């Protein structure tokens, strides 16, 4: 029932993920951050097996940082995406990671970009994408309302439409969502959309 | 004597490990490097030997960042330095991955020193020919630290230290002139120590400053020139002041 979706706008990319940590019929917590800040200008939205989620993304993050220290310059978003896919591919036929990833980044000369990386190491560069049962609703709404070069306000409006649709139509809809964006000023948390507050 | 410097695993009859001592010689031939610890600033300075005209000097950085809060300068064999720095960088990230915590300066110094020691006790390898100056801020207490390692694998903490060419003169200067400093004063002290043994000017000195908030910052040649000019004028003023009273008597 995990939902992760994202899209590219005018000079930014946004990733939205639900924040439920679920084990069988129990909800452990409803404020789990599933969008990792990979480095200053990259976001990694992840869904899938909880242990793999943490293990794999932290491993990718540390390797991205190591590259930066070794070479004095950050990886491009494309390079990070290809590295991530490579790691998934190598592990696939031995000890696969069960994680689905949306990688968003901002590069100085290229602008914003979004990559779709699924658990069997598929890699696609995309403008909009989604994982999970929520993707049925997210992709349909994005097909209807997305156009390239959306402003931040328009994009967040579309995100809210998608969250509303998921909440109303998905039988076990996650109550809370987290929105993070990346633009020329860096990757940061944008907003929470809570329907159950964590007191 | 000649028989005891072949393989490093052999002690000489009077208890020397000659390969380690020869490695220290290599360090003594390397470029001068100095480190000074202030209350809120730590400064690393390295002598820049004359750059050949056709060489792109930007590719010859002498002060390396190990992590966002740790930096290293060294004297000795630069190729060996590359290997050690690479291993240290991997260890910094590995520590963050397994322990969810950044390394302390002491931890990474112990790691580098341990690596240097391993190569004094293995067959068929030679020690690393460099001494390092490692600086950083403790990620929790925020306390500044300066450590030094050498080819034998020993390490210790210092308030200020120098290694490489003419390190004894620099250390003597630092012992005479060290006092608790902060900010720009710490930078000046480091540059003054380097100027004891290095030709004056921004072309011949590389300076990097580590602060808790901003991490490591490398100084531009023009900034260094400005501080050197300040130091020279202070020196001249001190000389004049010394001469003036004797005139009055």
């Amino acid at each position: 029932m995990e939902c992760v979706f994202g899209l590219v706008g005018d000079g930014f990319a946004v990733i939205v993920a639900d924040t439920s940590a679920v084990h069988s019929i129990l909800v452990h917590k409803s404020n789990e951050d599933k969008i990792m800040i990979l480095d200053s200008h990259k976001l990694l939205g992840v869904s899938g097996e909880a242990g793999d989620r943490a293990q794999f993304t932290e491993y990718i993050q540390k390797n991205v940082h190591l590259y930066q220290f070794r070479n004095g310059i950050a990886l491009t978003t494309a390079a990070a995406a290809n590295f991530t896919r490579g790691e998934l591919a190598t592990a696939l036929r031995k000890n696969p990671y069960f994680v689905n990833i949306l990688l968003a980044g901002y590069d100085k000369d290229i602008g914003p970009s979004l990559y779709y990386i699924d658990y069997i190491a598929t890699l696609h560069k995309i403008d909009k994408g989604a994982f999970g049962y929520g993707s049925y609703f997210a992709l349909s709404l994005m097909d209807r309302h997305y156009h390239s070069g959306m402003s931040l306000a328009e994009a967040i409006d579309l995100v809210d439409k998608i969250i509303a649709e998921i909440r109303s139509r998905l039988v076990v809809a996650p109550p809370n969502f987290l929105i993070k964006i990346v633009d020329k000023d860096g990757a940061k948390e944008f907003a929470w959309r809570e329907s159950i507050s964590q007191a | 004597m000649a028989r005891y410097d072949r393989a490093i695993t052999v002690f000489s009859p009077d208890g020397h490990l000659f390969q380690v001592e020869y490695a220290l010689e290599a360090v003594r031939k390397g470029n001068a490097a100095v480190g000074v610890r202030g209350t809120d600033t730590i400064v690393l300075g390295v002598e820049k030997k004359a750059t050949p005209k056709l060489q792109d000097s930007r590719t010859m950085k002498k002060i390396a960042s190990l992590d966002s809060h740790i930096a290293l300068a060294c004297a000795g064999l630069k190729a060996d330095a590359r290997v050690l720095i690479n291993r240290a960088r991997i260890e910094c990230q590995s520590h963050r991955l397994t322990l969810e915590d950044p390394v302390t300066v002491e931890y990474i110094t112990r790691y580098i020193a341990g690596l240097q020691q391993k190569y004094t006790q293995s067959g068929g390898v030679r020690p690393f020919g460099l001494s390092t100056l490692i600086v950083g801020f403790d990620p929790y207490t925020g306390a500044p630290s300066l450590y030094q390692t050498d080819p034998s694998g020993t390490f210790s903490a210092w308030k200020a230290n120098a290694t490489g060419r003419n390190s004894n003169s620099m250390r003597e200067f630092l012992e005479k002139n060290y006092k608790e400093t902060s900010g720009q004063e710490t930078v000046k002290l480091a540059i003054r120590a380097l100027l004891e043994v290095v030709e004056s000017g921004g072309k011949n000195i590389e300076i990097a400053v580590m602060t808790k908030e901003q991490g490591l910052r490398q100084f531009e040649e023009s900034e260094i020139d400005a501080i050197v000019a300040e130091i020279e004028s202070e020196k001249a003023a001190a000389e004049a002041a010394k001469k003036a009273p004797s005139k009055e008597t």
Side-chain angles (χ1 to χ4, degrees), chain B residues 81-181:
Chain B
R82 236 180 22 237
V83 173
L84 267 183
I85 290 171
N86 194 37
R87 296 286 296 270
R89 283 174 171 154
I90 293 173
E91 180 61 20
C92 284
Q93 294 306 313
S94 179
H95 188 278
R96 280 183 186 257
L97 183 60
T98 48
L99 294 132
E100 287 259 327
D101 267 346
V103 295
T104 58
V105 191
E106 200 246 346
Y107 176 92
I108 199 65
T109 306
R110 205 165 351 110
Y111 176 80
I112 292 174
L115 210 47
Q116 288 180 291
Q117 192 280 340
K118 243 186 258 227
Y119 282 68
T120 68
Q121 211 177 8
S122 291
V125 298
R126 61 162 177 80
F128 288 98
L130 68 146
S131 291
T132 69
L133 288 170
I134 300 168
V135 300
F137 285 88
D138 188 294
Y140 296 100
T141 65
S145 306
L146 165 66
Y147 282 85
Q148 190 209 32
T149 71
D150 64 30
S152 64
T154 53
F155 72 93
S156 48
W158 293 75
K159 292 182 192 159
N161 200 1
T163 180
R165 220 163 56 83
N166 302 115
S167 57
N168 288 326
S169 331
M170 287 194 282
R171 209 172 300 119
E172 245 179 72
F173 175 87
L174 286 168
E175 280 175 14
K176 255 191 242 142
N177 294 285
Y178 180 83
K179 55 185 194 324
E180 288 283 322
T181 52

Side-chain angles (χ1 to χ4, degrees), chain B:
Chain B
M1 271 304 174
R3 272 178 292 154
Y4 297 102
D5 59 13
R6 279 288 133 204
I8 47 115
T9 47
V10 183
F11 273 108
S12 72
D14 51 348
H16 289 260
L17 284 172
F18 278 115
Q19 281 301 301
V20 176
E21 290 181 17
Y22 296 164
L24 280 155
E25 264 308 304
V27 171
R28 259 172 243 130
K29 290 201 161 55
N31 50 240
V34 70
V36 180
R37 187 187 82 192
T39 51
D40 61 356
T41 309
I42 327 173
V43 183
L44 279 173
V46 183
E47 164 194 14
K48 256 201 302 212
K49 290 210 190 105
T51 331
K53 281 210 184 103
L54 295 172
Q55 187 183 70
D56 186 349
S57 55
R58 287 172 307 162
T59 58
M60 278 283 293
K61 280 266 157 62
K62 300 244 168 102
I63 300 173
S65 216
L66 295 186
D67 202 342
S68 48
H69 62 302
I70 311 241
L72 172 151
C74 54
L77 268 46
K78 287 293 175 276
D80 287 3
R82 236 180 22 237
V83 173
L84 267 183
I85 290 171
N86 194 37
R87 296 286 296 270
R89 283 174 171 154
I90 293 173
E91 180 61 20
C92 284
Q93 294 306 313
S94 179
H95 188 278
R96 280 183 186 257
L97 183 60
T98 48
L99 294 132
E100 287 259 327
D101 267 346
V103 295
T104 58
V105 191
E106 200 246 346
Y107 176 92
I108 199 65
T109 306
R110 205 165 351 110
Y111 176 80
I112 292 174
L115 210 47
Q116 288 180 291
Q117 192 280 340
K118 243 186 258 227
Y119 282 68
T120 68
Q121 211 177 8
S122 291
V125 298
R126 61 162 177 80
F128 288 98
L130 68 146
S131 291
T132 69
L133 288 170
I134 300 168
V135 300
F137 285 88
D138 188 294
Y140 296 100
T141 65
S145 306
L146 165 66
Y147 282 85
Q148 190 209 32
T149 71
D150 64 30
S152 64
T154 53
F155 72 93
S156 48
W158 293 75
K159 292 182 192 159
N161 200 1
T163 180
R165 220 163 56 83
N166 302 115
S167 57
N168 288 326
S169 331
M170 287 194 282
R171 209 172 300 119
E172 245 179 72
F173 175 87
L174 286 168
E175 280 175 14
K176 255 191 242 142
N177 294 285
Y178 180 83
K179 55 185 194 324
E180 288 283 322
T181 52
S182 67
Q184 195 73 323
E185 284 306 307
T186 320
V187 182
K188 273 208 209 140
L189 182 56
I191 296 182
R192 275 163 61 208
L194 257 183
L195 287 176
E196 292 284 305
V197 303
V198 171
E199 226 184 281
S200 150
K203 281 203 283 90
N204 304 306
I205 299 177
E206 195 177 305
I207 297 280
V209 170
M210 163 96 50
T211 49
K212 196 158 182 310
E213 297 76 36
Q214 299 185 324
L216 188 71
R217 187 172 83 81
Q218 305 260 6
F219 273 32
E220 302 277 329
E221 225 181 88
S222 50
E223 284 181 272
I224 301 174
D225 279 328
I227 303 177
V228 168
E230 237 183 274
I231 292 172
E232 314 252 278
S233 65
E234 277 173 16
K235 242 196 248 177
E239 290 287 318
K242 250 192 259 167
K243 288 195 187 129
S246 57
K247 266 199 205 148
E248 283 164 14
T249 54

Side-chain angles (χ1 to χ4, degrees), chain A residues 38-115:
Chain A
L38 206 55
D39 73 12
S40 64
H41 287 74
K42 290 182 193 51
L43 285 174
L44 203 64
V46 207
S47 70
E49 188 71 50
D52 285 348
R53 212 169 54 219
Q55 179 77 343
F56 185 70
T57 60
E58 284 175 12
Y59 173 72
I60 298 297
Q61 187 195 51
K62 298 322 183 218
N63 273 284
V64 167
H65 288 178
L66 181 62
Y67 181 94
Q68 174 138 10
F69 282 111
R70 270 189 178 145
N71 298 286
I73 190 170
L75 274 169
T76 58
T77 309
N82 277 282
F83 171 69
T84 305
R85 187 213 86 87
E87 290 299 309
L88 282 170
T90 308
L92 181 62
R93 291 176 199 272
K94 289 196 179 109
N95 191 11
Y97 293 103
F98 193 68
V99 285
N100 293 311
I101 293 170
L102 281 176
L103 195 159
Y106 186 92
D107 301 296
K108 207 160 82 88
D109 303 318
I110 298 170
S113 49
L114 183 64
Y115 288 85

